[in-house]
């Protein structure tokens, strides 16, 4: 597809945009772009298009694009922090989560909302590198190779930072067991 774009076929880039807009919006929202997520993604696609000459053949487009989205999100968040503080960042992460269906048990829905809020608060307490690796790996559901490519880190660095981040989250969230339905420890 990239070869088609480089050959001057505009529809090929439109296909790339359509195929990757959803994950790019999720990434921007998860990385704190909030209400600016659509603008961040649009700017990221423009920058990606302009940088296609530097895109290495054989590399996956998605991680490369998401690294651009992450940079744009970071710039947007920094600008917003200067203007408004960090309040919008937490809201963007909460909004980025899956919607609880109306048919769900209200008690379970409340517990899930509480669990998500605790996770968002814990993520905010992590350093940027740890927050990024957790976001890419779990919130954006990227595999280890894609996470490494998107962050520009070796796979070993992704593994070690992810391990440290998960241990920190475990200490920050002692009342929740990983992988359960949000049940509290007895």
């Amino acid at each position: 597809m990239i070869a088609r774009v480089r050959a001057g076929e505009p529809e090929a880039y439109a296909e790339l945009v359509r195929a990757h807009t959803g994950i790019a919006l999720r990434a921007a929202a998860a990385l704190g772009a909030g209400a600016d997520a659509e603008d961040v993604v649009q700017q990221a696609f423009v920058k990606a298009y302009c940088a296609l000459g530097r895109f290495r053949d054989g590399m996956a487009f998605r991680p490369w694009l998401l690294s651009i989205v992450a940079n744009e999100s970071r710039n947007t968040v920094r600008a917003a922090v200067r203007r408004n503080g960090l309040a919008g960042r937490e809201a963007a992460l909460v909004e980025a989560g899956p919607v609880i269906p109306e048919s769900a048990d209200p008690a379970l829905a409340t517990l899930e909302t509480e669990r998500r809020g605790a996770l968002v608060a814990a993520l905010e307490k992590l350093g940027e590198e740890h927050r990024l690796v957790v976001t890419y790996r779990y919130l954006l559901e990227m595999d280890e190779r894609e996470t490494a490519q998107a962050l520009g880190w070796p796979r070993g660095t992704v593994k070690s930072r992810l391990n440290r981040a998960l241990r920190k989250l475990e200490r920050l969230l002692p009342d929740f067991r990983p992988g359960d339905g949000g049940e509290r420890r007895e």
Side-chain angles (χ1 to χ4, degrees):
M1 184 111 33
I2 300 295
R4 289 175 43 212
V5 175
R6 287 178 175 162
E9 189 179 326
E11 183 56 33
Y13 197 69
E15 288 177 37
L16 280 173
V17 169
R18 282 190 294 273
H20 294 90
T21 296
I23 188 77
L25 284 169
R26 283 180 46 212
L31 294 171
D36 295 324
E38 287 183 9
D39 293 336
V40 164
V41 169
Q42 183 176 14
Q43 187 63 29
F45 276 116
V46 169
K47 285 188 175 185
Y49 184 79
C50 293
L52 276 178
R54 295 189 308 266
F55 181 77
R56 293 190 324 237
D57 290 332
M59 296 294 288
F61 182 76
R62 183 173 87 149
W64 182 72
L65 172 68
L66 291 179
S67 67
I68 296 170
V69 171
N71 289 335
E72 285 300 308
S73 296
R74 209 171 299 129
N75 292 340
T76 298
V77 168
R78 283 183 188 139
V81 165
R82 286 190 290 268
R83 288 189 311 263
N84 306 325
L86 291 174
R89 194 165 188 196
E90 181 176 323
L93 276 174
V94 171
E95 290 172 11
V99 177
I100 299 170
E102 290 182 24
S103 62
D105 178 353
L108 291 176
T110 300
L111 189 57
E112 181 63 25
T113 300
E114 178 184 311
R115 185 174 183 231
R116 186 179 336 255
L119 178 59
V120 167
L123 281 170
E124 285 294 323
K125 292 178 183 175
L126 295 179
E128 182 177 6
E129 290 177 339
H130 290 144
R131 188 173 44 252
L132 278 172
V133 75
V134 169
T135 298
Y136 275 76
R137 186 70 179 91
Y138 294 109
L139 300 179
L140 298 177
E141 300 174 0
M142 295 178 78
D143 65 27
E144 192 176 277
R145 181 188 55 76
E146 291 175 319
T147 301
Q149 185 181 344
L151 293 172
W153 300 343
R155 285 178 78 169
T157 302
V158 168
K159 285 181 181 182
S160 64
R161 288 186 182 159
L162 185 60
N163 183 289
R164 284 188 212 115
L166 292 176
R167 281 190 276 139
K168 286 181 181 183
L169 283 173
E170 190 175 272
R171 286 191 300 271
L172 291 169
L173 298 166
D175 292 341
F176 294 100
R177 290 182 298 229
D180 68 11
E183 296 140 19
R184 294 196 178 274
R185 288 185 178 162
E186 298 297 321

